[in-house]
Amino acid sequence: MSEEQSETGTGWPQPAVPGRPTGPDPRPGAPDSDEMSPLSPQGEPPGRQSPPDEPDAGDAVTVDLSSVTASAGAEQTPPTGPAAVARRFTSAGAMIALLLGLLGFTLVVQLRTTSTDPTSAATRQEDLVRIFSDLDSREKRLRQDIEALEESQRQLRSGEQGRQAALQEATRRADELGILAGTLPARGPGLSVRFEAGSKPISAYRVLDAVQELRGAGAEAMQISGGDGAAVRIIASTYFLDGSGGDLVVDGRRLSGPFTITVIGDPTTMATALKIPGGVAASVAGDGGNVIVEDREVADVSALHAPVKLEHARPVS
């Protein structure tokens, strides 16, 4: 590095000043430039001498700029020193500060736009209101569906219970009608009434009186059997006829004595009805016969009557 570059402090040559002489002063009696230069040995304080190889200031001013420029372009040496480092850090700091300022400005503008834009705020509020309305409507529909299903379930249960109760009632009525009609067998507490003939045979008239008294006393099911074990179910349409030799004809079937009526009902009431004064028992005893009444805890009425096909009667709807 030349001395002119080190004297300027920047590392670059100082150009010549226009109008300034570059050589010795031609005027007569003018002092020598070396004597006037503060860098000359004469201008230095006593005891301080310039280095022998150091060029003087006059020579540094007359340096050719073209040679200095060529030398600087050939070496391409970057500026060094505290000033160059300070300038480099100052430029980087300014660039960083500028970028940070731009970023902060952008964020502030975006926040203000988002917070003060009435259109976007109104749009979000409307969306929330619509969502809440849809959810409320869906909840109402679901509740209505649940109520409808529960009502259907109650109706089905009520209908099932009603059908079950109706079926049970119909079954009970059918059983009762079957027993009364003689199409179903029956079992229960009752009596066994045995007719033994005396001097006169047991007439159909006496047997019919006994059946009527038993029905009046609450008889629910009855059958009559002969001495040979044949039995005929007694129903509302049963008829009795006298046969030959003391036999009976019941619903067209001949029965031989002795005759036994098996009846289901209250034993005490029916027994009292048969033994009343002037009743069946007294009438048979007057003919020389006998009526034997026995209680039965379980009386079986097993004889069945064939169903009757109705030709004229029809139920009233």
Side-chain angles (χ1 to χ4, degrees):
M1 181 182 296
S2 63
E3 184 156 348
E4 292 85 353
Q5 296 174 355
S6 49
E7 285 179 0
T8 57
T10 61
W12 299 98
Q14 182 177 4
V17 180
R20 181 179 179 180
T22 58
D25 193 352
R27 291 177 298 179
D32 191 1
S33 60
D34 293 335
E35 295 177 359
M36 296 298 294
S37 175
L39 300 178
S40 63
Q42 289 81 2
E44 290 183 357
R48 180 178 180 181
Q49 299 293 330
S50 298
D53 295 335
E54 183 178 2
D56 57 355
D59 295 337
V61 174
T62 60
V63 175
D64 189 1
L65 292 178
S66 61
S67 62
V68 174
T69 305
S71 175
E75 294 180 1
Q76 295 293 325
T77 302
T80 58
V85 174
R87 185 172 63 253
R88 190 178 306 166
F89 279 105
T90 302
S91 301
M95 183 62 67
I96 293 173
L98 179 61
L99 292 177
L100 290 177
L102 290 176
L103 180 59
F105 177 76
T106 304
L107 292 176
V108 170
V109 171
Q110 184 175 3
L111 290 175
R112 288 184 177 180
T113 303
T114 304
S115 60
T116 59
D117 189 1
T119 304
S120 60
T123 302
R124 287 197 299 271
Q125 185 176 4
E126 291 177 357
D127 292 340
L128 292 176
V129 171
R130 185 173 62 255
I131 292 173
F132 289 151
S133 178
D134 293 341
L135 291 176
D136 190 19
S137 301
R138 184 176 301 178
E139 182 182 2
K140 290 181 179 179
R141 288 194 300 269
L142 292 176
R143 290 186 179 277
Q144 292 177 357
D145 294 340
I146 292 173
E147 292 177 357
L149 291 175
E150 290 179 349
E151 181 64 23
S152 300
Q153 185 179 12
R154 285 193 296 268
Q155 291 179 358
L156 290 175
R157 288 180 178 177
S158 177
E160 182 65 24
Q161 293 175 357
R163 286 191 296 270
Q164 186 67 24
L167 179 59
Q168 293 177 357
E169 181 65 18
T171 303
R172 186 183 66 84
R173 293 293 298 169
D175 293 340
E176 291 179 354
L177 294 175
I179 292 173
L180 294 175
T183 58
L184 292 177
R187 175 180 293 177
L191 296 176
S192 173
V193 182
R194 182 180 177 88
F195 295 87
E196 294 180 350
S199 58
K200 294 180 178 180
I202 302 298
S203 65
Y205 179 78
R206 300 299 182 189
V207 175
L208 181 58
D209 285 344
V211 171
Q212 295 294 343
E213 289 182 359
L214 291 171
R215 283 176 176 171
E220 296 177 354
M222 289 181 286
Q223 71 179 21
I224 185 171
S225 57
D228 56 357
V232 178
R233 185 71 170 264
I234 300 174
I235 60 175
S237 61
T238 301
Y239 62 89
F240 300 89
L241 296 174
D242 291 329
S244 60
D247 294 341
L248 288 177
V249 177
V250 182
D251 280 347
R253 186 170 183 177
R254 185 178 292 275
L255 299 177
S256 61
F259 310 109
T260 303
I261 297 177
T262 304
V263 56
I264 297 175
D266 186 5
T268 304
T269 303
M270 293 187 297
T272 303
L274 291 174
K275 296 178 181 180
I276 61 175
V280 175
S283 298
V284 172
D287 294 337
N290 189 19
V291 177
I292 303 173
V293 180
E294 296 179 356
D295 291 349
R296 296 289 179 87
E297 293 181 359
V298 179
D300 290 326
V301 177
S302 57
L304 299 179
H305 191 278
V308 178
K309 184 178 180 181
L310 302 178
E311 296 180 1
H312 304 285
R314 296 291 183 272
V316 179
S317 58

